Amino acid sequence: MTLIQKIKRLLNWSTRSSPHIDLNTELYQQLKPFRLPLILVVLMIMVGTLGYVIIDDFTLLDAVYQAGITFTTVGFGEISPISPAGRIFTITLIILGFGLFSFSIGILVEVLNKGQLVNIIKERQMLYRIARLKNHFVICHHNDITIELSKQFRENHIPFVVIDPREDIAKIAMQYKYPYFIKEDPHTEIALEKSYLSSAKGLITLSENTADNIAQIASTRLYEKEVGLKRPYYIITSATSDNDMTKLKKLGADRVISATKLMAERLRAMSLRPDMENMLEKLLYRKDAPIDMEEIRIPDHSWMRFKKLKEARLRDITNVSIVGIRDANDIFIPMPKGDVLVGTGSKLLVIGTGESIRATKRIIRKKQKPEELRYV
């Protein structure tokens, strides 16, 4: 990877110049009424130019200039003496020009009053902006959870697109500072294409209706197969009951969140261990927390595969602590010992500062054993 490609990847730049759906057909359809006025304008200029060349023997350049200022009624006067026949021709050209401009303005006002042209232009600009995103999240349905989630995403600089079918979604997006939004039914294929789901990291569906979340998961998984992605989308959804949570997981959701259950668990933790909960609030949940916790997947090319944890010496090199390991069968081992073997598809749950976690990721992703291990 070249330096320029690394910079583009760091700044989340994309080489794509156009989205999957650019609305060019819809835009041309709205501009179709302007074809006749434009054709008439060109014809009038041509007729005026030929008239001045034939009647008063103007040069081609003088004839075009005289026809232009006469047709547009700017009132610059005659650039050369004009015969009586030429003046009658000039008056006729002025009247026709005034009529044509009135006709064109009428068409312009009618198209603008419908509002579709302006909406298409705004949506087209939005689609081109969305096409530049990469590894973003697609959030389906606007509600109170979406509002709070968007705040967290903006604070952590996580790109996201909100999809909602409401007519006033543009006003809602302006009010709650959604940088990218789409007015469509989220489960439709056109909505998934407009949100550029093919380059997204995952999808979050937050409808209060379980049926909507089911339809969204099914549509996303089908779209995933059509695109032929190597890595499946990470889908998060919400549910109100244990039955719905089980059902959504079976249909393909990676995580199902219950707001009621989360609140109950948080209240229980506050009640039984208030000091510990306050400490976690300060250390993990705040955006300016001094330490962070993250689960890091061991890539297939990593040098750590089939090595023991103590051989990595991550504590000595990057100053992080491994508090858990999850194997390929999703079996979690808390506080693993140093002789635990890191297998294919394992995930390490590490805790440390943001800088130390980033350094740990770099070391884990290396193909060869890092040189730092020679000095520890």
Side-chain angles (χ1 to χ4, degrees), residues 124-335:
R124 190 170 182 268
Q125 292 174 346
M126 179 63 69
L127 293 178
Y128 272 86
R129 291 174 57 200
I130 293 174
R132 296 176 62 86
L133 296 178
K134 191 176 181 180
N135 293 328
H136 59 286
F137 279 92
V138 178
I139 305 176
C140 304
H141 304 288
H142 163 79
N143 50 35
D144 293 338
I145 302 178
T146 307
I147 295 172
E148 294 301 322
L149 180 61
S150 66
K151 291 180 182 178
Q152 298 295 327
F153 275 4
R154 289 197 305 272
E155 290 176 358
N156 292 276
H157 306 287
I158 300 174
F160 64 96
V161 180
V162 177
I163 308 177
D164 194 276
R166 308 184 193 197
E167 294 293 336
D168 58 343
I169 184 61
K171 294 181 180 179
I172 293 174
M174 184 178 296
Q175 179 180 357
Y176 296 108
K177 299 179 181 179
Y178 297 159
Y180 309 98
F181 64 92
I182 293 172
K183 178 189 168 297
E184 292 288 350
D185 287 322
H187 66 276
T188 59
E189 184 176 355
I190 189 173
L192 300 179
E193 291 182 350
K194 285 183 177 181
S195 64
Y196 232 95
L197 186 63
S198 59
S199 63
K201 184 176 183 179
L203 180 138
I204 304 173
T205 173
L206 300 171
S207 176
E208 298 176 357
N209 187 353
T210 305
D212 292 337
N213 291 331
I214 291 174
Q216 188 64 55
I217 294 172
S219 300
T220 304
R221 292 306 183 196
L222 288 174
Y223 183 79
E224 177 183 286
K225 293 180 179 180
E226 292 179 359
V227 176
L229 295 179
K230 297 180 180 179
R231 178 175 56 87
Y233 295 121
Y234 188 71
I235 300 179
I236 305 174
T237 185
S238 60
T240 56
S241 65
D242 292 339
N243 185 32
D244 289 340
M245 292 180 68
T246 304
K247 188 185 301 181
L248 291 169
K249 285 183 178 180
K250 289 181 178 179
L251 289 171
D254 295 288
R255 292 292 301 273
V256 183
I257 307 299
S258 173
T260 306
K261 193 172 183 180
L262 284 176
M263 182 178 294
E265 291 176 352
R266 195 74 182 274
L267 291 173
R268 177 187 60 82
M270 289 181 178
S271 303
L272 298 178
R273 297 185 295 272
D275 295 336
M276 179 63 68
E277 186 67 18
N278 291 335
M279 185 181 70
L280 290 174
E281 181 75 32
K282 293 179 181 179
L283 296 182
L284 296 179
Y285 300 145
R286 290 169 51 183
K287 66 176 182 179
D288 56 347
I291 63 174
D292 198 0
M293 180 183 294
E294 188 170 343
E295 193 174 56
I296 304 175
R297 184 181 181 277
I298 306 298
D300 294 339
H301 62 269
S302 175
W303 67 275
M304 278 189 62
R305 292 174 60 218
F306 313 117
K307 299 286 194 307
K308 294 181 179 180
L309 282 178
K310 61 183 179 182
E311 297 181 48
R313 308 291 295 273
L314 295 178
R315 176 68 178 177
D316 299 322
I317 299 176
T318 62
N319 196 28
V320 297
S321 298
I322 302 175
V323 296
I325 183 171
R326 190 186 304 274
D327 61 17
N329 297 322
D330 204 32
I331 298 176
F332 183 76
I333 304 174
M335 305 304 296

